[in-house]
Amino acid sequence: MIQAIGLTSNPRKEFPPALDDVSFEARAGRVTALLGVAGAGKTTALRLMLELQQGRGITFFRGRPLHRMAHPSREVGVLLGDVPGHPARSVRGHLRMLCAAAGVPARRADEVLEVVGLVSLRDERLGTLSRGMDRRLGLACTLLADPHTLVLDDPADGLTTRERRWLHGALRAHAAQGGTVLLTTADSKEAARTADHVVTLERGRLIADQDAAEFARTRLRPRVAVRTPHASRLAALLTKQARTAHRSVEVVRESGNRLSVYGSNCADVGEIAFRNGILVHQLADEVGDMGPDTEPDPDSIEPRADEASQDTYGDAAAVGDRRRRATRAPKRGDGQAAAGDRAARSEMPRTAGGERAGTAAREDFAAGPEETEDEPSSKADGSRSSASPVDDLPDLPPPISVRPAPSPLRPLRYELRRAAGVGTGFVTVGVVLVVSALTAVMLARIGHTPHARLLVAWPRELPLPPAALGAGLLGAIAFGDEFRHPALAADRGTVPRRLGLLAAKLLVASATALALAVLTVGCDIEVLYLVYGRELAEVPADWLSLSASWIGLVVGCAWAGVLAAGLFRSTTAGLAAVVTVPIVVVPLVQKVVVGPSVRSAAGFPLRLREVLLSQWPFGGERYLAGVARVIGQPVGGAMTLSLTALLCAYLFTTLRGRVR
């Protein structure tokens, strides 16, 4: 269950807080709706509960706050707005990437795709999905790690009638299996139709916390809205007429010249006003909060042709998938399928008979647009048919009975799938190889370029060769895409700072930079051989030390891009840090080393070898001496200094965030 206690947002200047001391509960096995108009504080409440926004108060998910959970995605499934992900990534690739991050098997992606009816669209790109398909994918993302709790911000916004019905059925199925569902909505009738408990917010304050049946009885009563300059006189006449006819009619005087008449209809009220010569400006039927100043019911809006066709296609796919699943897998309502993680839930799931108990009152007022020809909702006596049992609800993916142990390879698998899921890296590598080969040919034609620089296409006029710039760009994208398309976060810009994720990005960036460095030199040598012959394609005699320096430069640029993008949360900042090293840091290091001084460190490498390097077995001192020579160069020293500063800054911000 969810326990939200004293949620209060920080006020801004002279404005009051968007949420002021709100406390409520959402119990397991039930669907809880957080109701309120735009600006009532619904989204702010969810962000405070999920610790995405600064404020006061605390929220417990089954007795623990979110920051106390080792793996929050396994406990709470979150959907705020559209699905955050790279628009060029495929649907199946996006889910498999999230599987690696959550530590669940990759086949889980196919299971949830089958449940939400997106199997036929698994190879489609995220940027091409319609609103309804995006909502289905969002639900698939929330169900991926088999969480106990679902927190969704207005999940039915912009959906057609059939898509809304499917979504509410899926949420009902999750609650029927013992899970907790908390959703926000601005539609009173939708809250009464789909929820078991309704929490109403108004201007950041809690004004009602009711069961759905009580909410329908008190806030969704049908009424007649009347506007007349003779409101007091008409109210007295209506009350007198009700007493005479022994009818239960309640007349409530609203603000101004408005009356709300409960227990009557427009014909009776209009007839009484006409007989007594009372001028009436407005006479209309209303239902509870759905007054003339609120937005229209989305269910009453006809879907567009393209949305209707996609919706029908998606529903047909979902029905077919569920029928295929029924032939090979038991229902989740069986005791066999309820084993595992669901068995640990404290609340017992509701039975089919008691699932919709006490909803007759709210269904009388909430029915209407949901009733279609293919799904008749009324019987011969005019009353609405009984609610569907649990067996009619959509199937959910099977529970994950065994949780995998923590593994250091989990962030690495996630990073590999993230990098290989889009074509940005492959395109960047291809562009770098082409530019480097053309640059090498042009430098060879012009002349006056050392052979070592010619092989890596590094003219003296550029601070870095194309391969180093490409490696730095790939490293910056590794963290920059996390903040631009934060698939790991519940909301934009909240990428978790984990050292395991940083280590995985540095390792993948190193491997990519190493491959790029080798491919660049190989392509340059091959192109120079084809154009100018064997003379320019010869390998230098000191190729070992040159290769070490070249690989160190390219890998260092990649690391600088990763660290700077993770620190400043921007791909541009990461690439700028890569370019800053040769333009700013290298001249400063040279000035410090070559500048005037009283004493110099002459003979330092020789003395260092005598003190430290002579004790290494198997000739290890040669390799250490080579590393010392690389670092002792101005570029190597500047790169080492920059990487150390960036790494320390990243670790400092990470530890500071954890302390807070």
Side-chain angles (χ1 to χ4, degrees), residues 21 91 160 232 436 471 502 516 528 539 553 563 630 648:
D21 195 20
V91 171
T160 62
S232 301
S436 180
L502 174 64
L516 184 59
L528 290 174
V539 178
L553 174 64
L563 293 172
V630 172
C648 292

Side-chain angles (χ1 to χ4, degrees), residues 123-138:
D123 295 327
E124 296 293 326
R125 304 300 176 185
L126 298 186
T128 63
L129 297 181
S130 65
R131 179 67 175 177
M133 297 302 105
D134 184 82
R135 294 288 89 184
R136 290 175 184 259
L137 178 59

Side-chain angles (χ1 to χ4, degrees), residues 593 597-607:
V593 173
S597 61
V598 177
R599 291 184 175 87
S600 62
F604 174 74
L606 180 61
R607 293 191 298 272

Side-chain angles (χ1 to χ4, degrees), residues 10-145:
N10 294 333
R12 294 184 177 181
K13 298 182 180 179
E14 70 276 5
F15 298 100
L19 204 68
D20 189 6
D21 195 20
V22 172
S23 301
F24 63 91
E25 290 184 356
R27 296 187 176 275
R30 311 184 73 185
V31 177
T32 303
L34 200 59
L35 176 65
V37 299
K42 306 184 299 297
T43 303
T44 303
L46 297 188
R47 291 179 60 84
L48 288 173
M49 294 169 59
L50 298 172
E51 301 176 2
L52 300 176
Q53 182 173 330
Q54 295 293 330
R56 298 189 299 274
I58 190 170
T59 303
F60 295 98
F61 298 90
R62 289 207 290 180
R64 291 181 299 169
L66 204 64
H67 63 272
R68 295 288 185 182
M69 299 177 185
H71 302 285
S73 62
R74 297 180 182 175
E75 182 66 29
V76 184
V78 180
L79 178 61
L80 301 179
D82 297 334
V83 176
H86 199 288
R89 199 180 305 277
S90 66
V91 171
R92 187 170 183 265
H94 181 76
L95 290 176
R96 287 173 62 88
M97 182 185 69
L98 295 181
C99 285
V104 299
R107 65 176 181 274
R108 182 72 175 179
D110 297 323
E111 293 175 356
V112 296
L113 281 176
E114 192 174 2
V115 169
V116 301
L118 290 180
V119 174
S120 302
L121 302 179
R122 60 184 179 181
D123 295 327
E124 296 293 326
R125 304 300 176 185
L126 298 186
T128 63
L129 297 181
S130 65
R131 179 67 175 177
M133 297 302 105
D134 184 82
R135 294 288 89 184
R136 290 175 184 259
L137 178 59
L139 185 61
C141 293
T142 59
L143 295 174
L144 199 61

